[in-house]
Amino acid sequence: MPKDRQEMWIEAVLATPGVNVPCEALENIAPFIVDPELTLSEPDAQGVRTLKDGAVRRVHTEAGDMVIAVVRMHGVGGVVWGHNERISSIWRTAADPAVGRETKKSLSPVRPWRGRDDQGREKIYAALESSALNRQSLIVNIEETSDELRRRDNVRPYDLLEDLVLNGQQEPGMYVPQMVRLEENAEHDEESGPTYPDAYWGWMAVRGNNRTQKRHEIFGLTSTEVLTGVPDAKLGRSGEGIVLEPDVWLCEFSETLNKEHADAPDDEDPHSASRARRAASVAVVDAHLVIGTATPQRLYRIVQMSNRRDHVHPPLEFDANDRSRALGRSVLGMYVAQGVLDEKTAEVLSGLAPVRDLPGASRGMAVSELRDLRSMRLLQELFPKDQHKRLLLRRVLSESPPSQLKGPEINQRARTWSALTSESYPRPWNPRIGEIFTTRAREGFDLSGRPLRELLAAADTDEDAFEELVAYRAAHWLAAFDVIDADRGSLAGQQSLDDAGMKVNRVRRSVTNCLQALRHERNRPMAVGLLRELAAAMDDGDRRPWRVSGSGRVLPNEEITPYWFDQNFPKETGMRPRKPAVPQPRAGGWAGAASRAATTGPLRPAPALWPPGSA
C-alpha cells in the first residue's frame, strides 16, 4: 500500500473516539491493511475522517473494555505470541523464585507501553512492551513458540494447514500491538552503527495463534521474519541481507507471489500446487486489531480474557495445565476489574511478577517460604470466604450456588490452584494433584496465617501445624520432586526403580491416600522429617531431597524415590477406617428384632413406590 494511503488510514484511526494506540504501532501494521478506504468514514465539516461504524467494535470483557478495528489484512501479517496461554506451561514464570536444574527459560514480563503525548507528558497507551536479551534471543523465543504451537496442533482432529489452503480462514484472528526492546545490541556495521534496530514493533496473535503460524508456513515465511526482517533470498534478490521495513519487503514479497501465481498452471492439484497457488485462499484475511482501551494499564489482562473463555471451556484444546492456569487468571482478572484484588497481587498470583512483590514477602524469605506464601494466597482466592468473591467465582467458572457446589466443581478449582502453584516451581505437575478436598471446601478456607518456618518447627508436637502442612503443602511438594503423581487409572507402563535398581510396578494409589499415610500415627516422626527435608531441598536449589529415618533424621546422599515413599508410607496406612459392619439380628432372628421394636415404638411403613391414584 502506498505511503500516502497508509498515512491517511493512520490519521483516521487516531481520530476515532476511544482510540489510544501508539502511532508507531499503526505505522507497523499499515502496510498489511488491504483496501483501507473501505474502513473510513466520509470527511466531516473539518475534513477529518475516522473509522466508520462498521469497522469499529467495542468489546466488553470481565477485565475491562477495548476498541477493535475490523480490517482486511494481508495473510502474512501478524506474529505468533509466546505469551499465549495455550502454551504458557512451557516457560518458566517470573513467579518461580529459584532457578533449578531442570528449569526452562523464561519470557520477560509484559508491561503496558509508555510514551509521551503532544505536550511531552508520559502516558500509558493501548499497547504492550517486553524485552529480550538480544536479537538472537528474540528469534529463539519466537521459534520455540512456533515449534510448540506446531506440536500442540497435532491434537486437532483435522489438518489446519490443509484446511486453510482449501477453505481459507473462516474466523478472524485478534492482534495486539507489542514492542520488544533489546537489552543488548552488539552487532554493528562497518561504520560502527547498529546493524539492527534496538526495538521491534509487532502485532501479536491473541486469538488465532495457530492460524497465524500456519499461514506463515503456507507463505514460506516465519513469524521471526515478519517481526525482525525478511532475507533478500525470499524476496527474489541476489544479496544476503535482511530487509527490515514492512512496507518495503511486503511489496516485493507480494510481487514475487504474483509472478509465481501467474506462471503456475490453472489446473494444479491444491496439495501439490506451487506456494502461490496454495496461498491464494489466505492472501487476504479478516483481522481484529486492538486499538484502544480506557484502562491501558490492564490491556494484557483484557486481551487474554477475550480469548480465554473459548479455550478453558470445551471443546477447544488447551491441555489440562494451561486450561487450569487460564481459568485461574480469569478469576484473578475479574477480581481486579471489580476492585476486590489489587493489580500487583494479581500479577504475582498469575505468574507475571516475582513472588517478592507480594504483600507480606520479606527480603530474608527462603525459596520454600516464598512459594508457600504465594500458594496459600492462591488457595484463599480460589476458595474464598468472602461472599462477593464467591459470586465472582461463580460467574467466571459457571458454577452452581455455593450450597450446591459438587465434587467436580471443587476439583476444578483445586486443579486451578495446583496448576497456578506449580508456576513457582521449575516445571509443572499434573494439576489433578490438587484434587484432595471434600465438599467442605465449598465454605472456603480460613488458614491460620502462621509462617511456613513456624509450622515446620512446631509440626512434631503441634497437631494443627502438622495438619496444615499435610493438608495444603505436602501433595505439591511431593509432586514437585516426582515422588507422587496423580492416579492415572492404569498401571500399564508405570514403573519405578527399587533400591537395587530393578524395575518394579508402581503402587496405584490416590493423592489422598498418600496424605492419609503421612497422617498415620506410626509414620508421624518420619513424615515431619520428610516435610522439613522437602523444604530444605527447595531452599538448596531444588536439589533431590534425601531420605529420612524412622525418627525423622536426614540420611544424606540417599535420594527419595517413589519406591521409597511407597515402602515407608505404604498404601495400607493411608486407608480410611472401615465403616462398622451392619448389625446382624441376634438370636431369635428377625422375629426377635420385630418384638424388640414393639417395645420402643411402632415400625414406620415403607414409603409407597407409586403416588396415590397412579395404578
Side-chain angles (χ1 to χ4, degrees):
M1 184 169 64
K3 272 287 189 182
D4 57 340
R5 295 174 66 199
Q6 294 181 35
E7 292 172 358
M8 175 186 64
W9 181 77
I10 292 171
E11 290 177 3
V13 173
L14 292 175
T16 302
V19 171
N20 54 347
V21 67
C23 181
E24 296 91 330
L26 294 175
E27 291 171 352
N28 175 267
I29 196 64
F32 298 89
I33 306 302
V34 177
D35 296 327
E37 293 86 356
L38 299 179
T39 68
L40 305 185
S41 69
E42 295 297 324
D44 63 12
Q46 286 73 40
V48 177
R49 304 181 75 176
T50 63
L51 293 177
K52 62 184 181 182
D53 291 343
V56 180
R57 292 185 185 174
R58 306 189 186 269
V59 178
H60 172 75
T61 78
E62 291 163 337
D65 299 341
M66 58 183 169
V67 181
I68 302 293
V70 181
V71 300
R72 297 279 286 164
M73 183 179 75
H74 192 297
V76 82
V79 179
V80 297
W81 201 24
H83 291 274
N84 176 273
E85 288 187 309
R86 188 178 173 214
I87 61 171
S88 66
S89 59
I90 73 168
W91 309 107
R92 172 178 170 252
T93 73
D96 184 356
V99 179
R101 292 171 298 175
E102 301 179 39
T103 299
K104 296 198 73 165
K105 61 183 297 185
S106 62
L107 291 173
S108 63
V110 172
R111 304 177 296 274
W113 189 83
R114 297 176 181 270
R116 296 194 177 276
D117 60 18
D118 295 338
Q119 286 73 44
R121 294 170 299 189
E122 188 176 74
K123 175 182 174 182
I124 301 177
Y125 287 80
L128 304 173
E129 179 182 337
S130 64
S131 62
L133 179 61
N134 50 42
R135 189 172 184 272
Q136 185 59 35
S137 176
L138 171 61
I139 290 172
V140 169
N141 283 345
I142 299 173
E143 293 300 325
E144 288 192 358
T145 297
S146 295
D147 289 344
E148 187 64 22
L149 286 169
R150 195 176 293 111
R151 283 191 290 270
R152 299 291 178 95
D153 197 53
N154 288 334
V155 303
R156 196 183 296 267
Y158 62 93
D159 189 324
L160 176 59
L161 187 146
E162 291 303 319
D163 184 66
L164 290 172
V165 169
L166 294 172
N167 302 308
Q169 181 172 299
Q170 304 300 312
E171 296 292 331
M174 179 187 290
Y175 300 88
V176 64
Q178 180 174 328
M179 172 190 274
V180 184
R181 298 185 187 274
L182 302 185
E183 298 172 5
E184 300 175 0
N185 194 6
E187 300 177 66
H188 291 80
D189 58 24
E190 296 176 354
E191 299 178 358
S192 298
T195 304
Y196 300 108
D198 292 323
Y200 294 90
W201 275 104
W203 286 73
M204 308 305 179
V206 177
R207 181 185 299 132
N209 241 323
N210 282 100
R211 282 169 280 165
T212 301
Q213 187 268 325
K214 295 300 184 187
R215 291 200 316 268
H216 291 164
E217 192 171 332
I218 294 169
F219 279 106
L221 291 184
T222 66
S223 279
T224 297
E225 292 164 343
V226 173
L227 181 66
T228 65
V230 177
D232 285 335
K234 292 192 176 184
L235 302 175
R237 298 186 179 192
S238 58
E240 297 182 356
I242 293 177
V243 181
L244 302 173
E245 301 81 4
D247 56 337
V248 176
W249 68 253
L250 184 60
C251 181
E252 295 186 25
F253 185 69
S254 296
E255 290 176 359
T256 301
L257 290 174
N258 287 332
K259 185 176 185 305
E260 286 181 12
H261 193 274
D263 293 342
D266 293 333
D267 58 350
E268 279 187 303
D269 180 85
H271 182 70
S272 57
S274 65
R275 174 183 61 168
R277 289 285 181 177
R278 285 172 60 78
S281 60
V282 289
V284 179
V285 296
D286 292 329
H288 292 171
L289 308 179
V290 179
I291 56 173
T293 175
T295 53
Q297 70 277 9
R298 292 209 304 267
L299 179 61
Y300 179 75
R301 282 189 198 287
I302 293 170
V303 297
Q304 291 282 31
M305 189 75 77
S306 72
N307 184 43
R308 189 175 284 147
R309 187 174 181 83
D310 293 339
H311 290 283
V312 298
H313 294 285
L316 294 181
E317 65 291 339
F318 268 30
D319 72 14
N321 220 304
D322 293 324
R323 179 177 182 271
S324 294
R325 290 181 177 186
L327 275 173
R329 291 175 183 137
S330 295
V331 172
L332 298 170
M334 169 74 91
Y335 285 172
V336 172
Q338 295 295 319
V340 297
L341 186 66
D342 66 276
E343 183 72 43
K344 177 54 68 176
T345 299
E347 286 183 355
V348 176
L349 299 184
S350 297
L352 306 177
V355 189
R356 293 191 187 279
D357 291 349
L358 197 64
S362 62
R363 185 178 297 274
M365 277 188 168
V367 168
S368 60
E369 295 175 283
L370 290 168
R371 288 172 174 168
D372 186 71
L373 184 68
R374 179 174 175 269
S375 181
M376 293 304 101
R377 182 62 188 271
L378 277 167
L379 181 65
Q380 291 179 295
E381 297 299 342
L382 291 166
F383 292 90
K385 304 284 286 186
D386 181 82
Q387 295 293 334
H388 184 44
K389 285 186 177 180
R390 289 188 188 183
L391 176 60
L392 297 178
L393 266 170
R394 284 187 60 200
R395 287 173 55 184
V396 175
L397 303 181
S398 304
E399 287 184 345
S400 305
S403 62
Q404 302 172 27
L405 207 60
K406 298 179 177 64
E409 294 169 315
I410 291 171
N411 285 341
Q412 177 176 252
R413 286 201 216 171
R415 290 193 299 269
T416 296
W417 167 60
S418 190
L420 282 175
T421 290
S422 70
E423 291 205 76
S424 294
Y425 291 75
R427 64 181 186 276
W429 50 72
N430 186 331
R432 288 194 297 114
I433 288 291
E435 294 183 7
I436 54 177
F437 301 127
T438 66
T439 52
R440 292 178 59 187
R442 63 169 62 129
E443 302 169 2
F445 292 118
D446 192 7
L447 305 180
S448 69
R450 296 166 69 180
L452 177 63
R453 188 177 303 180
E454 178 184 323
L455 293 174
L456 288 170
D460 47 3
T461 58
D462 187 328
E463 184 68 32
D464 291 337
F466 177 74
E467 177 57 27
E468 193 167 333
L469 289 169
V470 173
Y472 306 125
R473 279 86 166 177
H476 288 159
W477 291 4
L478 291 165
F481 291 106
D482 294 321
V483 179
I484 66 170
D485 195 1
D487 182 15
R488 288 177 254 180
S490 171
L491 287 178
Q494 298 184 43
Q495 293 184 323
S496 60
L497 298 179
D498 64 13
D499 290 340
M502 303 295 291
K503 288 185 177 180
V504 294
N505 289 331
R506 295 189 66 172
V507 177
R508 180 179 174 183
R509 61 194 302 192
S510 68
V511 176
T512 302
N513 180 273
C514 295
L515 300 187
Q516 287 294 95
L518 291 174
R519 291 184 175 102
H520 197 277
E521 189 63 34
R522 189 184 74 191
N523 301 330
R524 177 66 60 84
M526 184 181 285
V528 173
L530 173 61
L531 292 169
R532 289 171 176 168
E533 170 57 14
L534 292 171
M538 289 185 229
D539 296 340
D540 196 17
D542 288 309
R543 61 165 172 80
R544 290 298 306 173
W546 307 130
R547 301 180 185 186
V548 294
S549 68
S551 64
R553 290 185 57 189
V554 175
L555 305 175
N557 302 318
E558 295 185 55
E559 293 184 1
I560 292 174
T561 64
Y563 178 80
W564 176 89
F565 183 85
D566 288 336
Q567 293 297 110
N568 288 275
F569 298 94
K571 182 177 181 179
E572 290 71 22
T573 61
M575 302 295 286
R576 293 182 180 179
R578 293 183 180 274
K579 293 182 179 180
V582 177
Q584 298 297 318
R586 298 180 182 176
W590 293 110
S595 64
R596 287 192 300 273
T599 65
T600 58
L603 291 172
R604 294 184 179 180
L609 181 63
W610 304 104
S614 61

